[in-house]
Amino acid sequence: MSSAYPTTWRKPPQMVQSRGWRIALAVGAIVYLVLAIGTIEVNWARVIAGMERAQRFVAGFLQPDFTTRWRDISNGLMESLTMTFTSTVVGVLISVPIGVGAARNVAPAWVYYVCRSIIAVSRALQEIIVAIFFVALFGFGAFAGFLTLTFATIGFIGKLLAEDIEDIDEAQSEAIRATGASWLQLINYAIQPQVMPRLLGLSLYRLDINFRESAVIGIVGAGGIGAALNTSLSRYEYDSAGAILLIIIAIVMMAEYSSGYLRKWMK
Amino acid sequence: MLWAGWLACVALFVWCWERMTERTIWAFVWDAPNAAADIGSRAFPPRWSYMERLWAPLWDTINIATLGTLLGIAMAVPLAFLAASNTTPSRLILRPVALFVIVATRSINSLIWALLLVSILGPGILAGILAIALRSIGFIGKLLYEAIEETDIRQVEAITATGASQGQILTYGIVPQVLPSFYGISVFRWDINIRESAILGLVGAGGIGAQLNSSLNMLAWPQVMLIILVILGTVVVSEWVSAKVRHAII
């Protein structure tokens, strides 16, 4: 152990140096909190009426009803799962060239800016808002959801892949360049082996995220299990809603554990 | 073997694609470019005069995100200490329970929480705040307990060696080490919550999403355009703020 231990303990440095500013910030924070909490309007009569529903919901969660609405649930689940898989595959396929184009060390400047702006647009727009538009354009159902998730996947994978390519070990690409390799050969032999494991890990992670999102975009009409959840809640069928939520939690947990396991196994 | 795996993937993809599109009405899909052009021509220019009715919902949206984040932090911090294997009081019972709560709250989207809470508490920003808070627990809890598990054991041992109590070990050995990542995580989550609270109004949980919903229902595309521009602006500003703060901390 070569590092020398510090022999004294000092207070960690303050974030704001001047004392006056610290007090001003604290006062500002308190004023904000008072104002913000003041804007909450609670209709207590409504809340008390809602408590009975809350009880029914908890009861529904403890005794989920899988059978009465099973057709809706299984349809929605099927839609969600197929949507998740296809959109992840297509999204990853599209985002690989975009990710390569958005890496400063392998792409020319104009390609870099085009790809970066595609990524920025895809990341700035919320999935739900995109879903609303795609439902308006392509009609209700899973196809709009598929497009939404694909669109969101491009921004996510593209950005992380581009950062990965920018972080690679330059020595290997130098070596390949020195052999007089073309650009495609450079990508294939110097870049691809370095980023492939990460790309697979990211795709699995995105599969997981896409499933969670597919449970939500159904609320605005883009198909999947969210639509079933929305219907059962608006019909006050809390036992079916509980069943759907339990299914969602179970699948997300399964996906999380198996993707963690797979990523470990691939390393 | 590798080829068989790829083949299976392709087959799965084709099957999923067939399943997914069997109820798609392709006439709508082919008509989409026309529909897009139509909506686009209606949405321009955005109706700027509508802005004066957006300030109050925008303020509500920011409040939902901020108060929701604070509430989420308040609930996530104790959970994180229960879930971290080096600070948990009982590995057999409390740790699995805390881990379950963290995973369960993370797997339910804030929009779904909002849907539930609106049907229980009625529409309004309270449902939004609670939805954001519940969703944040899992995120903050997970990142924070990982940070706690990564703390330097030597500092903790040094403090234990002075005969410190459990509480003193926490406050002097562990908390100072995780404080920077705690601030980073909180600001990061606040930034995400600004995005999420912008759409909670779609299901009735207050904020600017409610305006978006009513404008969509009226097919008032210039207003929709303006609202989306406002949401984008807010998101950009919050991202800038959180990047600045994180830069100042780390």
Side-chain angles (χ1 to χ4, degrees):
Chain A
M1 209 56 72
S2 61
S3 64
Y5 292 111
T7 50
T8 51
W9 189 82
R10 265 174 298 140
K11 256 178 110 169
Q14 295 277 357
M15 262 199 290
V16 184
Q17 296 296 335
S18 113
R19 191 182 149 77
W21 271 110
R22 274 211 300 281
I23 294 171
L25 272 178
V27 171
I30 290 170
V31 169
Y32 170 75
L33 273 185
V34 170
L35 280 179
I37 292 174
T39 58
I40 306 176
E41 284 167 10
V42 187
N43 180 351
W44 288 108
R46 176 70 183 74
V47 173
I48 291 164
M51 278 306 135
E52 187 249 323
R53 283 190 196 169
Q55 275 170 9
R56 274 181 34 216
F57 177 71
V58 173
F61 210 65
L62 294 175
Q63 292 170 307
D65 175 9
F66 290 94
T67 42
T68 2
R69 295 258 155 236
W70 179 245
R71 273 185 57 82
D72 288 354
I73 297 177
S74 62
N75 263 335
L77 195 61
M78 210 57 223
E79 257 180 20
S80 267
L81 288 173
T82 51
M83 200 156 91
T84 307
F85 185 71
T86 46
S87 64
T88 311
V89 170
V90 175
V92 169
L93 288 182
I94 299 177
S95 59
V96 166
I98 290 179
V100 172
R104 195 171 281 152
N105 51 350
V106 291
W110 68 272
V111 178
Y112 171 79
Y113 286 113
V114 170
C115 291
R116 279 281 158 179
S117 30
I118 295 175
I119 290 174
V121 169
S122 150
R123 280 168 49 78
L125 293 171
Q126 188 92 39
E127 270 100 339
I128 299 290
I129 293 177
V130 176
I132 290 173
F133 271 98
F134 281 153
V135 167
L137 293 183
F138 296 96
F140 289 96
F143 191 73
F146 157 76
L147 289 175
T148 308
L149 295 179
T150 307
F151 183 73
T153 305
I154 293 172
F156 180 85
I157 303 265
K159 175 175 194 268
L160 294 174
L161 182 65
E163 276 167 11
D164 242 33
I165 295 178
E166 284 173 357
D167 284 345
I168 59 157
D169 182 4
E170 283 294 332
Q172 297 186 27
S173 47
E174 284 295 311
I176 304 274
R177 271 204 195 97
T179 63
S182 68
W183 186 81
L184 269 179
Q185 285 172 323
L186 174 78
I187 298 289
N188 193 21
Y189 293 106
I191 313 279
Q192 183 262 92
Q194 290 192 52
V195 296
M196 204 55 186
R198 267 275 289 175
L199 180 64
L200 282 176
L202 285 178
S203 310
L204 283 173
Y205 182 38
R206 188 65 218 188
L207 196 69
D208 183 11
I209 300 178
N210 276 350
F211 179 75
R212 290 173 208 219
E213 292 296 332
S214 78
V216 175
I217 53 180
I219 293 172
V220 295
I225 198 158
L229 181 66
N230 201 11
T231 344
S232 63
L233 275 176
S234 55
R235 286 182 189 149
Y236 303 112
E237 290 171 349
Y238 289 107
D239 37 7
S240 299
I244 295 174
L245 283 178
L246 283 176
I247 292 177
I248 294 177
I249 294 179
I251 292 185
V252 168
M253 275 184 168
M254 229 166 61
E256 194 152 324
Y257 280 115
S258 53
S259 77
Y261 181 78
L262 267 172
R263 265 180 283 179
K264 249 179 231 157
W265 175 76
M266 275 189 306
K267 273 177 197 164
Chain B
M1 183 61 205
L2 199 62
W3 287 109
W6 281 112
L7 197 67
C9 269
V10 171
L12 182 65
F13 177 80
V14 171
W15 180 78
C16 282
W17 179 263
E18 291 295 323
R19 256 324 274 256
M20 187 190 73
T21 51
E22 68 187 7
R23 266 183 292 171
T24 306
I25 303 168
W26 291 103
F28 276 146
V29 176
W30 302 130
D31 193 42
N34 296 331
D38 184 43
I39 290 177
S41 68
R42 281 166 204 238
F44 278 100
R47 196 178 145 208
W48 297 107
S49 60
Y50 191 62
M51 194 61 215
E52 62 190 56
R53 304 231 331 250
L54 285 183
W55 291 114
L58 187 61
W59 169 242
D60 277 348
T61 297
I62 294 170
N63 287 342
I64 291 174
T66 313
L67 296 178
T69 313
L70 290 176
L71 200 61
I73 291 171
M75 292 188 278
V77 168
L79 261 179
F81 279 102
L82 291 180
S85 60
N86 51 349
T87 53
T88 181
S90 94
R91 262 174 219 215
L92 271 182
I93 308 161
L94 283 178
R95 181 161 192 259
V97 171
L99 285 178
F100 176 79
V101 174
I102 286 175
V103 176
T105 51
R106 229 152 50 88
S107 51
I108 299 179
N109 194 288
S110 48
L111 207 61
I112 297 179
W113 278 120
L115 210 58
L116 289 178
L117 287 163
V118 166
S119 88
I120 291 171
L121 298 173
I125 86 169
L126 182 65
I129 292 172
L130 288 178
I132 291 286
L134 286 170
R135 165 87 161 143
S136 305
I137 291 177
F139 181 91
I140 300 172
K142 178 179 159 65
L143 292 178
L144 193 60
Y145 97 73
E146 284 172 355
I148 296 173
E149 284 182 348
E150 277 165 21
T151 48
D152 183 0
I153 189 78
R154 289 174 308 182
Q155 300 188 24
V156 180
E157 276 170 359
I159 288 164
T160 318
T162 64
S165 69
Q166 278 296 320
Q168 285 170 321
I169 294 174
L170 274 190
T171 33
Y172 294 101
I174 291 173
V175 170
Q177 290 190 55
V178 294
L179 216 49
S181 44
F182 168 74
Y183 287 128
I185 295 165
S186 308
V187 177
F188 186 27
R189 187 64 220 183
W190 174 78
D191 178 20
I192 300 175
N193 282 345
I194 290 270
R195 289 159 189 260
E196 299 209 330
S197 58
I199 48 161
L200 289 185
L202 286 174
V203 296
I208 201 163
Q211 246 66 22
L212 180 63
N213 199 21
S214 60
S215 303
L216 274 171
N217 288 339
M218 292 189 300
L219 299 176
W221 292 106
Q223 290 179 20
V224 172
M225 191 72 200
L226 178 69
I227 293 169
I228 287 175
L229 287 178
V230 169
I231 292 178
L232 277 183
T234 319
V235 166
V236 170
V237 170
S238 77
E239 201 157 83
W240 180 79
V241 169
S242 98
K244 276 274 163 199
V245 172
R246 265 183 292 168
H247 193 74
I249 295 167
I250 301 162

